Amino acid sequence: MTSILPVATLKPPCSSRAWLSAPHPDLPIVATATANALRIYSLTSFTLLSTITGGHKRSIRSASWKPGSKSQPVIATGSFDASVGIWCQEEDDKEDWRFAIVLDGCESEVKSVAWSAGGNLLATCSRDKSVWIWEEVGEDDFETVAVLQEHEGDVKCVAWHPEEELLASASYDDDVRLWREEVDDWTCVSVLRGHQSTVWAVEWEPVHGRDDEVGSRLASCSDDGTIRIWRKKPNQARQQQSRLSTIRSTSGEEWEEEAQLPKQHVRTIYSVAWSKVSHRIASVGGDGKIVVYEKHAVTGSTDGEVNDYNHDATPVEPNGIHPEPIVPEDNRQPEDDASINSQVKKDKHSNWRVVAEYDCAHGVFEINHVAWAKAKVNGSEQEVIMTTGDDGEVKLWRVS
């Protein structure tokens, strides 16, 4: 039986809405973006280490740690004041952070910031429908290398591929776009269409443990209540796309929808996270629910039905009572999606099930962000789920 169990709440909580929490890739710390500050917490003591204020004139919406910045951590922040900040930890005082540089150019609030795997490129996106790519050319020195303006709505999220200089962006226009540099210019190489409403976030599958036969995959979540998995289309497999899942390649790169995860959320899904350890996906949203999914192969099925759904994977309510088993997605899908699901479930790589869920994880408040992280729990390092909510709290959970 799989359950989601509470581990800790970071103390003290924020006095206002918390937007996002970004675990450092190498250090046991996490940065939380809030309405009035960037807060750095310990993932060993679960207490506040630093409160970073100044630099921005309005709320901090997003934060991203620079890869390779272990000895002297560097973090980028995106703000509602339309600017991006770069902060460096002071060497002689670990509680102090220096506001190194501000990056201007966006005409409206910055919704997301993300460093490339190599740490030399920083992507940002804004309510003004633009995606910016900046290159670090020296200490505290950045140049704009691209301003991408093909989205037709507010751009909600940007995410870099974990190995390649391939950028994904999600937008209010219901699309996901993929960007690469080609002949010294950044261009949109694919448009991933299938969502019926705003796409709030995208997340790349971690490299470690990835199925090389499948290749890179991307998860996206939306206001339409779905989570979709995309992969680059193999040259030898030109399968016909359904009318609800069409991808237009603008530069010779074709991607396809591989799967839709079971539809458990009843309101907007704001965030998805893909575990580097368990390879499970976690999602959160406006219904205050945490849902955890895992991929599995279908056996003994000839009609596309999932035969090995785990009925023991029941959610845990805040009061510890296990409700009825989760109903398989097949029983709750609208008829319009039947053709998609039939195609998806025949692919052994494309089947996902819910293994656990937790209702009212932040009480009556919406959950804005989810991430997987490593934290010290009962004296040992364990993988945890981290949720950030409108109540200003950052909570840690373990899947057991």
Side-chain angles (χ1 to χ4, degrees):
M1 182 177 296
T2 304
S3 303
I4 299 174
L5 303 174
V7 172
T9 299
L10 302 186
K11 300 293 185 182
C14 308
S15 59
S16 57
R17 173 183 293 163
W19 288 103
L20 171 148
S21 292
H24 192 283
D26 302 306
L27 300 173
I29 57 176
V30 60
T32 298
T34 76
N36 50 27
L38 184 71
R39 299 161 71 91
I40 310 296
Y41 290 96
S42 167
L43 290 180
T44 56
S45 65
F46 309 134
T47 57
L48 184 66
L49 299 176
S50 303
T51 301
I52 303 173
T53 59
H56 293 296
K57 299 176 182 177
R58 295 182 61 192
S59 299
I60 297 175
R61 179 64 177 83
S62 181
S64 176
W65 294 100
K66 181 180 179 181
S69 62
K70 185 175 181 179
S71 59
Q72 186 181 14
V74 174
I75 191 166
T77 53
S79 171
F80 280 84
D81 67 6
S83 71
V84 176
I86 308 295
W87 306 79
C88 303
Q89 188 181 54
E90 296 287 8
E91 294 184 11
D92 55 347
D93 189 346
K94 301 301 183 182
E95 293 186 6
D96 288 341
W97 294 75
R98 176 174 62 89
F99 191 58
I101 189 172
V102 60
L103 305 177
D104 289 316
C106 294
E107 297 178 357
S108 188
E109 57 204 51
V110 176
K111 293 297 186 69
S112 177
V113 294
W115 291 94
S116 64
N120 59 315
L121 298 174
L122 178 68
T124 68
C125 64
S126 170
R127 190 177 180 179
D128 66 9
K129 308 178 185 180
S130 69
V131 175
W132 290 57
I133 299 177
W134 312 77
E135 182 177 13
E136 187 174 17
V137 294
E139 184 176 357
D140 300 342
D141 189 11
F142 287 76
E143 288 184 355
T144 305
V145 297
V147 180
L148 311 170
Q149 297 178 303
E150 294 187 33
H151 276 295
E152 298 178 358
D154 179 356
V155 187
K156 301 292 188 181
C157 179
V158 285
W160 288 97
H161 187 281
E163 286 183 315
E164 307 172 29
E165 289 187 351
L166 172 63
L167 181 68
S169 59
S171 173
Y172 183 80
D173 63 12
D174 309 346
D175 291 344
V176 174
R177 287 181 178 264
L178 302 181
W179 314 84
R180 286 188 190 272
E181 186 178 24
E182 295 187 349
V183 195
D184 297 327
D185 286 323
W186 283 85
T187 184
C188 179
V189 294
S190 282
V191 182
L192 282 56
R193 291 194 170 125
H195 285 294
Q196 303 301 300
S197 190
T198 302
V199 185
W200 278 91
V202 284
E203 173 91 347
W204 290 97
E205 179 183 19
V207 174
H208 181 69
R210 186 180 66 196
D211 186 345
D212 290 334
E213 292 184 4
V214 175
S216 299
R217 295 189 296 182
L218 180 73
S220 59
C221 64
S222 170
D223 186 56
D224 65 12
T226 68
I227 299 171
R228 300 170 190 247
I229 307 297
W230 312 85
R231 68 175 177 182
K232 195 171 183 179
K233 191 173 182 180
N235 291 332
Q236 66 274 19
R238 300 290 181 182
Q239 298 179 357
Q240 183 177 3
Q241 300 296 317
S242 75
R243 64 181 179 86
L244 292 181
S245 177
T246 58
I247 293 90
R248 175 173 59 87
S249 177
T250 59
S251 188
E253 236 178 82
E254 293 187 69
W255 289 67
E256 63 183 354
E257 182 184 304
E258 179 188 85
Q260 287 188 42
L261 275 57
K263 196 170 182 179
Q264 298 298 116
H265 289 280
V266 296
R267 295 183 63 185
T268 300
I269 305 173
Y270 291 133
S271 178
V272 290
W274 210 321
S275 168
K276 296 179 181 179
V277 178
S278 65
H279 306 291
R280 290 170 168 167
I281 288 178
S283 63
V284 296
D287 57 7
K289 180 185 293 187
I290 306 170
V291 184
V292 178
Y293 317 79
E294 69 179 13
K295 182 169 70 73
H296 67 128
V298 175
T299 58
S301 175
T302 58
D303 58 359
E305 293 295 318
V306 178
N307 291 340
D308 59 345
Y309 188 89
N310 181 7
H311 289 279
D312 290 330
T314 55
V316 181
E317 298 287 355
N319 58 11
I321 298 175
H322 291 267
E324 293 298 316
I326 301 168
V327 179
E329 174 64 9
D330 293 3
N331 294 342
R332 63 178 78 231
Q333 278 283 354
E335 292 182 1
D336 288 346
D337 290 341
S339 60
I340 296 177
N341 291 330
S342 178
Q343 174 184 336
V344 163
K345 290 172 184 174
K346 290 177 182 178
D347 184 340
K348 68 178 181 179
H349 299 296
S350 302
N351 294 277
W352 292 79
R353 64 183 176 188
V354 174
V355 293
E357 64 179 70
Y358 197 108
D359 289 327
C360 304
H362 285 247
V364 299
F365 294 93
E366 295 188 346
I367 306 177
N368 296 315
H369 187 258
V370 65
W372 294 89
K374 292 182 178 180
K376 183 170 285 189
V377 181
N378 298 326
S380 64
E381 188 178 76
Q382 297 183 24
E383 183 183 48
V384 297
I385 295 173
M386 180 179 301
T387 58
T388 306
D390 271 359
D391 55 0
E393 293 190 339
V394 180
K395 296 187 176 185
L396 306 183
W397 315 79
R398 64 185 177 92
V399 181
S400 178

